[in-house]
Structure formats: structure tokens, C-alpha cells
Amino acid sequence: MGWFLDGEELVVTLAPLAVYWVYSGFYEVLLRRTTVLDKYRLHSTREEETKNIASRTDVVKGVLLQQAIQAAISVAVLKLTGDGGGATTRSPPEPLLVVAARIGVAMVVLDAWQYFMHRLMHSSTYMYRRFHSWHHRVAAPYAFAAQYSHPVDGVLTETLSGAAAYLASGMSPRAAAAFFAFATVKGVDDHCGVAPPWNPLHAAFANNTAYHDVHHQRGGGRRNFSQPFFVVWDRLLGTHAAYDVRRRRDGGGLEVKVFKDQMLH
């Protein structure tokens, strides 16, 4: 078993990382260099400065460390399962329905793993304070902070959930590259801090930017654990918080207001 990466292994490993920085950079440019999304912002620039404990430099360093660990585990999983997709072992393309079914399985597994691990991180005082609290240092989320977390939390919640989804679904490396690139887009979008009505991901998924913003609010940490696609586990297990997205009274964008009877204290 060689440890040099072939073409498909490189795509599976590096595509989600490239997509992360390109897509979050897209939001960063729109929010920092233009005013086109200002009326859809869930948090003002002032709130980002006052509510967020982690600096932007801290976030960049944390994300890069997390992604380095993620890439190493991705390579190990591909090599150990023998699914590198090299020229001598490449299988013929699967029918689209089969690929879709495998991606559907991957979505379900990813969601289930992340829900229960995310909830565990909050239910254990030690695990929250030692690990998961890093992610909540960003109380006013923005795009490139999506993967900011303690390395242990990142591995347990995100990286291993991806490995489990890959192994359980039986996806090919090509399908896995597309799936993880899309999951990365979804994760960045959930933390982007803006909720324009024309965002197609908001139309397709109830688990969206506003939904996840509830979880980052003070008092909302024990609600809306689900990520990145569906809200089924929150609804089934009583951790779903209903909310409304309203125009701010000062006209400076939007705000997510949780119904009072939905918040846990």
C-alpha cells in the first residue's frame, strides 16, 4: 500500500478544503467590500466585534489546523479501505440512481453522528468547557468560522462523521468528493450570518443560517443541535426551537427571535 496520493484521492482530500475557502471568501468579499447583503445580515459588524471572543486570526489558525487533521484522516481512510480509485482498480461509473441513494445514506449518517456528538458535547460540562466551547467563542457567526473548533471536537464531530458517512454509504471517491464539497458549502452557508430570501439552500433545507444562529445565541446552546442538512433529530428528541426572522427595528438588517417558550435555561 503506497502513501502517495493518486488523482481521485487528491480530489477527495483537497476539494472540500478548496471549496471552504473559495465559498467563505465569496461571502467575505460581499460583506466586507459591498453593501449588497447588508439588509440580510443577522449580526452587525459591531456585534461581531463585541460578541465574538475569538479573533479572526485565531479563527484562521484554528480552521487550518482542523483542516490539516481532516486531510490526514481522509488520506488514511482512503488508503486503509483500498478505495483510492487508481487506474488499475477504477470501477465503471455507477448508475445515477445508485449514486443518489449512496449520497442519501451519507447524508443520514452524517446528520445522525453530528447531532448526537454535538448534543453530547453540550451535555457534558467537561467536554463543553474543554472542547466545544471553542466553537461558541464565535457567537455572531460568519462564513470562514464554520469549521473553527477545538481539534478534538473537530475530529469527533466533523471528521469522524464524514468517515462514517463515507464507509456506511459505500460511495466511490468521485461521489465522495462531490458529497463532501456540497456538505462544506452547506456548513459554510449555515455560519455565513446572512439570510437572503433567494438563497436556494434556505429553500431546500429547514436547517439553515437562521436555524443554526439560534444555537449560537445566549441560552440557545441546548437547542437546534442538528447539522448540516435536516432537523429531524431535533424534532424527534425535543430539542427543536421555533423562531422568527424579523427586520431589525433600526432597519439595520435582520434578527432571529426565538419564541420565549422554546428556549431552555
Side-chain angles (χ1 to χ4, degrees):
M1 176 179 62
W3 289 92
F4 293 101
L5 299 181
D6 67 23
E8 289 192 352
E9 290 171 336
L10 276 172
V11 172
V12 174
T13 302
L14 299 182
L17 310 186
V19 167
Y20 183 90
W21 291 109
V22 170
Y23 193 53
S24 63
F26 166 76
Y27 272 116
E28 191 70 8
V29 169
L30 288 181
L31 288 169
R32 296 276 166 180
R33 303 297 181 184
T34 76
T35 60
V36 68
L37 293 177
D38 282 3
K39 63 182 178 180
Y40 304 119
R41 292 181 70 122
L42 300 181
H43 301 278
S44 65
T45 302
R46 177 62 177 166
E47 285 179 318
E48 288 185 11
E49 294 172 350
T50 57
K51 290 185 177 182
N52 293 340
I53 299 172
S55 70
R56 286 180 164 248
T57 300
D58 291 336
V59 168
V60 170
K61 290 179 180 178
V63 171
L64 289 175
L65 174 59
Q66 170 61 22
Q67 290 181 337
I69 297 171
Q70 173 186 319
I73 293 177
S74 173
V75 170
V77 170
L78 288 169
K79 291 297 186 181
L80 293 173
T81 58
D83 289 336
T88 60
T89 61
R90 185 172 297 151
S91 301
E94 293 181 310
L96 288 179
L97 286 177
V98 174
V99 174
R102 293 188 188 280
I103 288 177
V105 170
M107 294 173 76
V108 171
V109 172
L110 192 76
D111 261 36
W113 184 296
Q114 292 200 8
Y115 174 86
F116 288 104
M117 185 56 68
H118 195 184
R119 189 169 180 179
L120 176 62
M121 285 286 175
H122 277 271
S123 64
S124 166
T125 301
Y126 172 79
M127 294 184 77
Y128 179 82
R129 290 180 177 175
R130 184 69 180 85
F131 305 125
H132 191 62
S133 63
W134 277 38
H135 187 64
H136 285 269
R137 292 176 183 176
V138 182
Y142 53 89
F144 71 80
Q147 291 183 3
Y148 175 65
S149 61
H150 189 285
V152 172
D153 183 14
V155 169
L156 292 178
T157 304
E158 295 193 20
T159 306
L160 292 186
S161 67
Y166 176 71
L167 295 172
S169 65
M171 290 186 293
S172 68
R174 290 181 182 183
F179 171 71
F180 289 122
F182 177 64
T184 298
V185 166
K186 186 65 174 59
V188 169
D189 200 77
D190 290 346
H191 292 82
C192 70
V194 292
W198 35 262
N199 186 324
L201 293 176
H202 294 179
F205 297 97
N207 195 335
N208 53 38
T209 307
Y211 187 88
H212 192 65
D213 189 78
V214 171
H215 182 74
H216 278 264
Q217 291 184 18
R218 183 178 181 183
R222 290 187 288 167
R223 291 292 196 180
N224 293 12
F225 294 107
S226 294
Q227 55 185 40
F229 299 115
F230 311 115
V231 301
V232 61
W233 290 111
D234 278 319
R235 290 189 178 278
L236 287 175
L237 299 178
T239 53
H240 178 272
Y243 61 89
D244 189 23
V245 179
R246 306 171 184 173
R247 181 68 54 189
R248 290 180 182 268
R249 292 181 180 178
D250 61 7
L254 305 172
E255 61 181 346
V256 179
K257 301 294 288 185
V258 183
F259 299 140
K260 290 184 178 180
D261 62 344
Q262 300 289 300
M263 194 65 77
L264 290 174
H265 298 288

